Amino acid sequence: MSVLVVGSVALDSVETPFGKAEDVLGGSATFFAASASHLTKVSVVGVVGSDFPLEQLEPLKKRGVDFSGLEQAEGNSFRWRGRYRHDLNSAETLETQLGVFSHFSPKIPDKLRSRPFVFLANIDPRLQLDVVRQVAKPKLVACDTMNFWIQSRRPDIIELLNHVDLMTLNDGEARQLTEKSNLVQAAQWIMARGPRHVIIKKGEHGAFMFSSNSIFFAPAFPLENVFDPTGAGDAFAGGFIGYLAATGDLSEANMRRAVICGSAMGSFAVERFSIDRLMTVTRPEIDQRMTEMRRLVTFEEDVPA
Ligand code: AMP
């Protein structure tokens, strides 16, 4: 089954302890699509400015990503500038330029309105709401957000919760949105407002998936070298939703497998700048990493001698 994603398609400038990149391909929808395209067919809805180097999307198109819902508008593209210091778990946003996103009104092409899986990647929650009103009863609608939008548009995010089945966010964002310091309480607060599931990501410390009657925990893959954490969350979401769409199975057991796939995809994203590693990773490498993740948490059987 196929996935529709709406989110930012951006130019990122990133500084990590290991190097710098200027105006490289980024954005929540871009990372999501790069990741999910390994598992299923993805269509992107968003906007870029007249300055956007469209040729940089070619490798994604070659992977089958459909950009027919990506508009190009007069003006500047969305730009994000961020820095990671020693703690690679949290990005410091130095600058956010919304550019053409500040006047964007998403129009979902007719052929994309009935996509069974919809991901509202991190973007203005008013745009996420606009999209959710245009789609026809998907099997699953999930959303993400971040501190930038929680600060400025909290009421819209709360309204959005009414319309989604699942929310992904990181621990800091969950605390900020819910004003609860305890993550179990934060997840309950979110689920009380609509979603049946909440995934709270904790960077290198893994991720929790909360459902009404269960909690599942997946570790992050312990990498020897993390190069640039940008996009890990969106790559996680791409792996997770992509896996669900590819299998079409929303049982608890399969959702747990999807979380492991998300965790594996997030771990690839951080090995290089931009979507570079997500473009070279192969399906056997993804399967291998999922197997390694299983070994990581197995303690009763299959333990290597
Ligand atoms: P993450 O997966 O959370 O690391 O997301 C990284 C991506 O989010 C970057 O490529 C940015 O271009 C994008 N981004 C940063 N700030 C925003 C924002 N306020 N709205 C939408 N996308 C953003």
Side-chain angles (χ1 to χ4, degrees):
M1 291 184 196
S2 49
V3 182
L4 169 68
V5 58
V6 59
S8 54
V9 177
L11 295 172
D12 288 350
S13 295
V14 184
E15 195 182 322
T16 79
F18 316 107
K20 274 184 173 184
E22 282 288 320
D23 270 354
V24 292
L25 183 59
S28 53
T30 313
F31 278 104
F32 178 92
S35 170
S37 65
H38 287 277
L39 301 141
T40 193
K41 170 103 184 128
V42 190
S43 299
V44 175
V45 167
V47 64
V48 291
S50 34
D51 57 350
F52 195 85
L54 286 173
E55 69 283 358
Q56 291 197 20
L57 299 177
E58 284 305 317
L60 282 165
K61 287 187 185 161
K62 286 203 181 102
R63 292 205 46 76
V65 177
D66 163 32
F67 284 103
S68 59
L70 182 73
E71 292 175 32
Q72 188 166 28
E74 203 54 51
N76 291 330
S77 296
F78 183 102
R79 278 185 168 75
W80 178 75
R81 180 175 289 277
R83 175 167 61 197
Y84 299 83
R85 293 189 196 259
H86 229 63
D87 174 9
L88 292 169
N89 280 330
S90 54
E92 190 186 336
T93 293
L94 301 175
E95 197 180 359
T96 304
Q97 290 178 23
L98 295 179
V100 288
F101 260 104
S102 53
H103 304 293
F104 180 50
S105 167
K107 275 164 236 68
I108 310 298
D110 283 345
K111 63 169 193 191
L112 302 182
R113 286 177 188 236
S114 51
R115 287 285 143 110
F117 287 79
V118 176
F119 187 63
L120 308 166
N122 177 31
I123 195 62
D124 187 334
R126 293 181 184 174
L127 301 182
Q128 294 174 311
L129 273 165
D130 252 14
V131 169
V132 93
R133 292 189 181 116
Q134 293 179 51
V135 294
K137 282 204 175 35
K139 207 169 149 75
L140 185 97
V141 183
C143 75
D144 187 19
T145 194
M146 75 179 285
N147 50 9
F148 183 89
W149 301 114
I150 299 171
Q151 259 154 36
S152 55
R153 300 255 200 267
R154 189 169 177 268
D156 299 291
I157 298 173
I158 293 172
E159 162 68 12
L160 178 68
L161 292 179
N162 258 311
H163 303 273
V164 302
D165 303 301
L166 185 146
M167 182 181 216
T168 64
L169 69 183
N170 70 32
D171 48 352
E173 292 155 357
R175 292 190 171 102
Q176 188 187 0
L177 174 65
T178 64
E179 296 170 342
K180 306 265 178 212
S181 56
N182 179 290
L183 291 182
V184 179
Q185 290 181 22
Q188 283 163 350
W189 188 98
I190 294 170
M191 288 191 286
R193 281 155 185 80
R196 281 176 281 120
H197 311 274
V198 181
I199 295 181
I200 300 185
K201 297 161 290 170
K202 291 162 60 71
E204 66 179 326
H205 305 298
F208 284 104
M209 176 170 66
F210 295 89
S211 307
S212 57
N213 53 6
S214 75
I215 304 179
F216 175 63
F217 174 74
F221 185 75
L223 286 173
E224 196 172 331
N225 295 301
V226 173
F227 189 71
D228 171 16
T230 310
D234 306 307
F236 177 104
F240 174 73
I241 302 280
Y243 191 93
L244 291 179
T247 52
D249 173 359
L250 294 181
S251 66
E252 172 72 23
N254 202 53
M255 288 186 70
R256 291 178 177 211
R257 284 191 282 273
V259 170
I260 298 295
C261 184
S263 197
M265 295 310 291
S267 75
F268 286 117
V270 304
E271 290 181 352
R272 304 263 190 290
F273 276 129
S274 183
I275 59 167
D276 293 358
R277 181 64 177 121
L278 292 174
M279 288 295 90
T280 60
V281 71
T282 61
R283 189 60 204 250
E285 286 177 308
I286 296 169
D287 293 342
Q288 173 65 23
R289 193 154 289 183
M290 285 181 70
T291 303
E292 286 168 21
M293 298 226 17
R294 176 195 285 271
R295 292 211 183 105
L296 193 65
V297 292
T298 295
F299 55 92
E300 283 176 348
E301 45 191 84
D302 293 341
V303 178

